[in-house]
Each structure stands twice: as C-alpha cells, then as structure tokens.
Amino acid sequence: QVQLVESGGGSVQAGGSLRLSCAASGPTFNNRCMGWFRQAPEKEREGVAAIYIYGGGGTYYADSVKGRFTISQDKAKNTVYLQMNSLKPEDTAMYYCAAGASYGGTCLLDEKRFRYWGQGTQVTVSS
C-alpha cells in the first residue's frame, strides 16, 4: 500500500513563499506521476503541478501557478516538493499530494488518474 505524507503547510503573507514536501513509502514504482492538488472551501479540487518521476522527470503546471510554483523530486528520499513563491490569497487551500499513472509518458492534472492521496496540508495566504 502506497502511503503519502505531506508537510510544510502554514500561514504566510501575500508575496511570501512556502515549500511543501510529500514523502512516499510502499510500492511506488508503478506510480509514474506524483502530483499536487488543492481544494479551497466550496470549490472543486484542482490540479496544481505534477512530475513524471522516471527519466528526465517532466513537469506540468496549472496556468494559475506557472512561473510561481516549482515541483521537484529527491529520488533518494522518495520525496516530492512543491516550492511556492509569490503566493497570493487565492492560493489559500488544502494541498494534497497524490501518486498515479502516467498517460503516454506524461502526467495529466486530472485527479481521476491519481490513485493514492495524502491527508493534506493547509496553506493560508493573507493579504
């Protein structure tokens, strides 16, 4: 059973930065994509970023975070990170780490393709 544990959430002022971590354990080798999703109150969950964990590690971002967020991995630690810079109040949400299948060698920001989920970590950005 794959287990994902997020950490690094917190409260920050607009313009600030946070780094989220997701430590994976268990049989993760079949899950070629690791992703970050978020859900704000009364909104649907949305994909934020994903990384293909094999080969060159292609990365994929939602338009709303491109240029501000960076997803990366430490293969030795089985950990994926989400560096969030220039945070805005609209980034406030519960952030979830997920592991799932690739699609033609890429990762889609579609929660239906992610089978395993962490418990979430709260990010709050104040204006």
Side-chain angles (χ1 to χ4, degrees):
Q1 180 75 6
V2 174
Q3 290 189 326
L4 304 173
V5 179
E6 303 101 331
S7 60
S11 297
V12 65
Q13 288 192 326
S17 298
L18 284 173
R19 189 177 80 157
L20 306 183
S21 299
C22 173
S25 60
T28 59
F29 52 87
N30 283 331
N31 298 282
R32 297 177 179 271
C33 291
M34 295 291 293
W36 287 97
F37 290 76
R38 66 186 180 186
Q39 187 168 21
E42 301 181 357
K43 290 190 176 181
E44 293 186 355
R45 189 157 55 186
E46 62 173 346
V48 175
I51 185 167
Y52 187 79
I53 63 172
Y54 292 107
T59 56
Y60 311 87
Y61 298 94
D63 288 343
S64 58
V65 306
K66 279 180 183 176
R68 300 189 298 123
F69 291 11
T70 303
I71 189 170
S72 62
Q73 62 173 329
D74 184 329
K75 293 181 180 180
K77 294 183 178 179
N78 240 12
T79 298
V80 172
Y81 303 98
L82 185 68
Q83 178 67 43
M84 306 186 294
N85 298 329
S86 302
L87 282 161
K88 304 175 181 180
E90 50 264 44
D91 294 318
T92 295
M94 184 71 79
Y95 283 71
Y96 298 91
C97 175
S102 62
Y103 179 78
T106 65
C107 299
L108 301 180
L109 292 176
D110 177 355
E111 63 178 299
K112 292 188 288 293
R113 300 201 66 86
F114 288 81
R115 180 177 180 183
Y116 301 100
W117 294 82
Q119 82 288 351
T121 185
Q122 178 68 36
V123 171
T124 302
V125 184
S126 59
S127 57

